[in-house]
Amino acid sequence: MDLVPALQEPLKKVLGPATAKVMAEHLGLHTVGDLLHHYPRRYEERGQLTHLADLPMDEHVTVVAQVADARLHTFASSKAPRGKGQRLEVTITDGSGRLQLVFFGNGVHKPHKELLPGTRAMFAGKVSVFNRRLQLAHPAYELLRGDTEGEESVESWAGALIPLYPATAKLESWKLAKAIQTVLPSAQEAVDPLPESLREGRGLVSLPEALLKIHRPHTKADIEDARARLKWDEAFVLQIALARRRHAETQLPAVPRKPGPDGLLTAFDDRLPFTLTDGQQKVSREIFDDLATDHPMHRLLQGEVGSGKTLVALRAMLAVVDSGGQAVMLAPTEVLAQQHHRSVVEMMGELAEGGMLGGAEHATKVVLLTGSMGAAARRHALLDLATGEAGIVIGTHALIEDKVQFHDLGLVVVDEQHRFGVEQRDALRGKGKQPPHLLVMTATPIPRTVAMTVFGDLETSVLDQLPAGRSPIASHVVPAADKPHFLARAWERVREEVSNGHQAYVVCPRIGDEDDDPKKGAKQSKQPPEGDADKRPPLAVLDVAESLAKGPLQGLKVEVLHGRMQPDDKDAVMRRFAAGETDVLVATTVIEVGVNVPNATAMVIMDADRFGVSQLHQLRGRVGRGSAPGLCLLVSEMPEASAARQRLNAVASTRDGFELSRIDLEQRREGDVLGQAQSGARTSLRVLAVIEDEEIIAEARQEAAAVVAADPELTGLPGLRTALEALLDEEREQYLEKG
């Protein structure tokens, strides 16, 4: 690699082993270049105080504020029984709010001397709540003395803007700032990845200048210049990686798959009891056009919950079977694989009975393959795959094992992209004689820009119409703490639905068996806890089911479903629910995707604030799948004013999944979304915000496509090649290769 040695210099050589170790372990920074690309989160202006009023809970923050008062208390404790325990309480203010700092034991002496009323300082620590007030316990601090004293601290904050860095408990923002000052001269040697013509054409500053300006800005204009430039770097390098991958895909050979004029697909269409929506027809045409080409299709099919993606995917699979190939559908869980298998067999009828008596003329075999199948059934299934007897195969990642061989694999359909590792998809694609076509389905609507950033190597098809006969879903927030009678009414509504011959789901964030540690449960919840509701562990399926069966839903048939049950038990529960034998199913999010029970009309989501916005939308899509209207009740104990309640109100007020995914993205950082989609590789986006910077991403995509078309190997752009190698460190290189 031709990276500049100065930027490759390991931090332990420059900053010493102790600091370098903390940076590597807590911030993932290993080289001088990594540290230079660790940008400030925001800037404090000299003389302007931080807003204490909007501090986030449970996060490490750095604030600049003034001491209002300081009091030393003595108290008795087990360690100091004679009343010799000491606690220093310091109140700091910034004009917008007040914050309590506490110091204990021997730690009180230094701050007691230094933090006198009127003193200004930077404070860093984790925000917690004590006695319903925000506080920082044992914060680290750095005094900001007047400019008249020639102190080192003033030197290090010279300039009007103080950069505040994403920091950790082990390494405060000002220590990071000092480390960056040490390596900043190396920025001069940074190799510029942007082609000169592009940089000049868009009036962007050079990379060394951008790095200097982002870490040591003199004016706000400096920060703007630097960010504009660094955003382009991120967008452009990422789009180059994706453009190269699209280019490489077009070079691969694939077998064109065209359905015959009067084959299986025609027979299937003839037996459909309804006509396809315009959206389904348009998307099917796009897919059939791709399948007919001699390089592999790479398509993302995203659709609203219930828009009929499975039907579109099935028609693509039938087209491939028609042309003599095999198609496989990969589902993330056994429950889902079994569901898909059942619904495909039902939709196809006698067309799914290939080789059997009563099978139709064009029929094929539809085989299910999962990890928990018995040995005999499994042998049988493997034989059908190897001989080509089975045209359609549906299964879990059991399909990826070495033993599984296909006769002629033509199409891989992956359900719910984000639950599959890239390696798994790749292993399955390696089972074709030539690369098979790939169709990825996701029910989480992805805003266009995210699709361009994360799935930029896939062509995208969107299904946004609901099929006729689908019913509207009404959603309401149930504030259980403020208005307990609303929760009682929710259970009455469930009873009413059941008495009208319908069924209901109750969803909880946790299972509640011994392995299920509540502490872990609370940590894993999607959203940051707020207020007091986070004091108790999230509600659990087993507890809620028991209390409902004995209490408000007494007399109804209540069953539970969760991921740690045996596959056969799960399937039996789902079958009973689908057959209408169970009134209420209390479940975890295992029902989030693919579960189709048209008779289920109501859903109550407990601790709804513990789920992400897109997840709630997914869950809600399980009701209203028949002709009766659906009802979704979002139960939360969060206070009216909390961010969690605003999220829930947003879900209740819109049914547009694309709109919700934008809200979701604005509230979480993209890192979550990209991290999730990029197979755990840490997101490379530090200044680029996917939603805000929509235009930059679109323009970078065009520029990148032009650059790659002219010079796929980037031979004339060594700086860009270097940046690409840095972005695609080995893990990501493999990730992108495999896609």
Side-chain angles (χ1 to χ4, degrees):
M1 274 216 281
D2 47 359
L3 256 180
V4 179
L7 296 196
Q8 272 194 308
E9 190 79 49
L11 286 172
K12 60 170 175 279
K13 279 194 174 167
V14 188
L15 303 172
T19 309
K21 186 172 183 230
V22 176
M23 287 192 178
E25 284 175 10
H26 294 274
L27 296 166
L29 307 174
H30 303 277
T31 64
V32 168
D34 291 344
L35 185 55
L36 286 174
H37 286 293
H38 187 72
Y39 308 133
R41 180 175 281 170
R42 55 195 176 86
Y43 301 85
E44 274 307 335
E45 284 183 76
R46 277 263 141 122
Q48 184 201 359
L49 296 169
T50 317
H51 289 300
L52 291 178
D54 4 300
L55 284 182
M57 271 292 298
D58 266 347
E59 270 193 36
H60 280 281
V61 296
T62 306
V63 295
V64 176
Q66 193 158 6
V67 177
D69 68 42
R71 295 187 186 154
L72 192 60
H73 303 274
T74 52
F75 60 90
S77 72
S78 57
K79 287 185 182 163
R82 295 210 185 88
K84 294 282 167 58
Q86 291 192 307
R87 182 175 77 243
L88 175 65
E89 289 181 2
V90 178
T91 307
I92 58 173
T93 176
D94 64 351
S96 75
R98 295 167 87 80
L99 180 64
Q100 187 95 25
L101 314 178
V102 287
F103 300 88
F104 293 101
N106 296 335
V108 303
H109 306 306
K110 186 167 177 271
H112 191 213
K113 279 211 303 276
E114 295 183 334
L115 297 179
L116 304 171
T119 308
R120 292 191 65 223
M122 297 179 73
F123 301 92
K126 192 173 185 181
V127 184
S128 57
V129 171
F130 181 70
N131 279 344
R132 303 194 79 84
R133 283 163 65 196
L134 292 181
Q135 71 165 27
L136 294 181
H138 278 289
Y141 62 87
E142 175 95 342
L143 301 180
L144 294 175
R145 298 183 169 88
D147 287 344
T148 49
E149 302 172 47
E151 297 274 341
E152 183 213 3
S153 64
V154 175
E155 279 306 297
S156 58
W157 309 119
L161 295 157
I162 302 171
L164 293 185
Y165 290 90
T168 75
K170 298 263 190 298
L171 202 65
E172 294 86 20
S173 171
W174 53 85
K175 289 187 181 157
L176 273 163
K178 284 177 183 168
I180 286 169
Q181 293 301 342
T182 309
V183 300
L184 205 50
S186 308
Q188 292 303 340
E189 301 188 42
V191 177
D192 206 319
L194 294 189
E196 206 163 324
S197 56
L198 187 156
R199 205 178 76 221
E200 286 170 359
R202 296 190 176 270
L204 299 168
V205 300
S206 71
L207 182 56
E209 189 181 339
L211 290 171
L212 277 169
K213 283 183 167 175
I214 199 140
H215 292 297
R216 291 203 77 160
H218 294 297
T219 61
K220 287 186 173 168
D222 282 353
I223 301 171
E224 284 312 300
D225 285 353
R227 289 177 69 85
R229 161 62 214 243
L230 295 167
K231 281 181 177 192
W232 253 96
D233 277 17
E234 288 182 6
F236 183 69
V237 176
L238 192 59
Q239 292 300 343
I240 284 281
L242 294 167
R244 286 187 69 188
R245 206 163 124 195
R246 281 196 302 277
H247 182 267
E249 289 295 342
T250 59
Q251 310 301 306
L252 286 176
V255 180
R257 308 282 179 175
K258 293 181 182 155
D262 288 312
L264 186 55
L265 180 62
T266 311
F268 174 76
D269 285 348
D270 289 346
R271 46 170 293 138
L272 279 179
F274 50 82
T275 52
L276 299 178
T277 64
D278 295 348
Q280 286 173 322
Q281 288 178 348
K282 174 177 149 287
V283 169
S284 288
R285 275 197 301 277
E286 292 171 350
I287 292 172
F288 290 156
D289 288 349
D290 280 1
L291 288 173
T293 61
D294 52 12
H295 55 81
M297 164 169 84
H298 243 80
R299 196 166 274 284
L300 175 69
L301 170 59
Q302 49 168 331
E304 271 293 11
V305 179
S307 55
K309 292 183 297 297
T310 314
L311 177 62
V312 169
L314 177 56
R315 292 185 72 241
M317 292 165 85
L318 294 172
V320 169
V321 175
D322 251 356
S323 72
Q326 289 168 294
V328 55
M329 182 185 271
L330 210 50
T333 64
E334 298 220 346
V335 168
L336 252 178
Q338 286 156 344
Q339 286 257 312
H340 276 315
H341 182 254
R342 268 205 298 279
S343 62
V344 164
V345 169
E346 273 164 27
M347 281 198 269
M348 287 176 64
E350 74 262 24
L351 296 174
E353 295 169 2
M356 297 195 243
L357 280 173
E361 176 195 354
H362 297 293
T364 186
K365 232 184 204 182
V366 180
V367 169
L368 176 69
L369 187 65
T370 64
S372 64
M373 283 168 77
R378 192 180 166 78
R379 258 201 316 277
H380 209 90
L382 288 173
L383 193 64
D384 285 342
L385 265 62
T387 58
E389 190 82 6
I392 292 181
V393 186
I394 295 168
T396 55
H397 39 263
L399 281 170
I400 297 167
E401 292 172 12
D402 292 343
K403 291 198 282 287
V404 180
Q405 296 300 326
F406 292 88
H407 176 64
D408 179 13
L409 182 58
L411 170 67
V412 176
V413 178
V414 180
D415 185 18
E416 282 305 305
Q417 149 87 7
H418 60 273
R419 293 162 181 249
F420 264 105
V422 173
E423 288 75 16
Q424 294 170 312
R425 262 165 46 198
D426 185 52
L428 192 58
R429 280 174 59 197
K431 290 186 178 293
K433 295 189 178 73
Q434 283 192 319
H437 299 280
L438 176 70
L439 180 65
V440 173
M441 297 198 294
T442 174
T444 310
I446 303 169
R448 185 176 133 263
T449 37
V450 181
M452 276 166 41
T453 312
V454 180
F455 302 107
D457 61 315
L458 301 174
E459 297 301 324
T460 307
S461 294
V462 179
L463 276 174
D464 44 15
Q465 285 173 294
L466 287 186
R470 274 300 166 93
S471 310
I473 304 170
S475 304
H476 304 285
V477 178
V478 178
D482 316 348
K483 300 180 177 162
H485 59 286
F486 275 36
L487 184 57
R489 175 73 188 114
W491 301 127
E492 282 170 25
R493 281 293 289 113
V494 170
R495 294 193 83 99
E496 286 164 18
E497 289 297 315
V498 173
S499 65
N500 289 334
H502 296 302
Q503 292 158 279
Y505 297 100
V506 177
V507 182
C508 306
R510 202 161 63 86
I511 297 173
D513 54 13
E514 290 67 68
D515 303 349
D516 195 26
D517 177 1
K519 290 193 189 73
K520 276 200 309 224
K523 272 203 186 84
Q524 284 163 354
S525 73
K526 280 279 166 53
Q527 301 299 343
E530 291 153 85
D532 285 338
D534 66 311
K535 295 289 184 281
R536 62 164 176 76
L539 291 170
V541 166
L542 303 177
D543 308 340
V544 169
E546 190 181 351
S547 67
L548 288 177
K550 290 179 179 165
L553 301 185
Q554 200 172 4
L556 300 187
K557 180 108 173 60
V558 177
E559 287 211 69
V560 300
L561 179 70
H562 59 75
R564 272 208 288 274
M565 289 164 62
Q566 289 302 316
D568 293 353
D569 298 344
K570 279 194 274 202
D571 200 41
V573 169
M574 268 322 299
R575 276 177 194 276
R576 286 195 291 274
F577 190 65
E581 294 163 27
T582 308
D583 299 319
V584 178
L585 187 62
V586 183
T588 55
T589 53
V590 289
I591 60 158
E592 182 184 350
V593 283
V595 173
N596 185 21
V597 180
N599 191 44
T601 52
M603 175 177 285
V604 181
I605 302 179
M606 308 303 291
D607 279 345
D609 46 89
R610 308 237 181 195
F611 298 99
V613 170
S614 297
Q615 205 175 18
L616 290 169
H617 181 60
Q618 274 290 93
L619 286 164
R620 165 171 70 181
R622 301 299 113 209
V623 295
R625 299 176 79 85
S627 50
L631 171 70
C632 179
L633 301 173
L634 306 166
V635 180
S636 171
E637 293 184 4
M638 284 296 166
E640 185 85 52
S642 63
R645 273 285 285 283
Q646 287 160 8
R647 267 198 312 272
L648 296 180
N649 293 339
V651 175
S653 64
T654 175
R655 303 239 321 279
D656 178 345
F658 286 91
E659 180 52 35
L660 282 174
S661 62
R662 283 183 82 94
I663 294 171
D664 200 12
L665 204 58
E666 281 161 5
Q667 290 185 337
R668 299 164 21 187
R669 296 195 187 88
E670 282 87 16
D672 304 0
V673 180
L674 297 183
Q676 180 184 40
Q678 298 192 334
S679 133
R682 70 196 168 95
T683 167
S684 58
L685 301 194
R686 296 189 178 89
V687 282
L688 193 70
V690 171
I691 292 285
E692 280 166 40
D693 299 320
E694 212 153 339
E695 280 171 32
I696 295 181
I697 291 169
E699 288 171 18
R701 183 177 171 127
Q702 281 178 332
E703 294 270 11
V707 166
V708 169
D711 180 4
E713 292 306 307
L714 309 178
T715 32
L717 297 164
L720 178 55
R721 236 188 13 253
T722 301
L724 198 59
E725 284 162 359
L727 169 78
L728 308 177
D729 50 41
E730 279 168 32
E731 174 187 14
R732 302 196 47 166
E733 181 73 74
Q734 289 169 349
Y735 162 76
L736 278 178
E737 289 281 292
K738 291 174 177 173

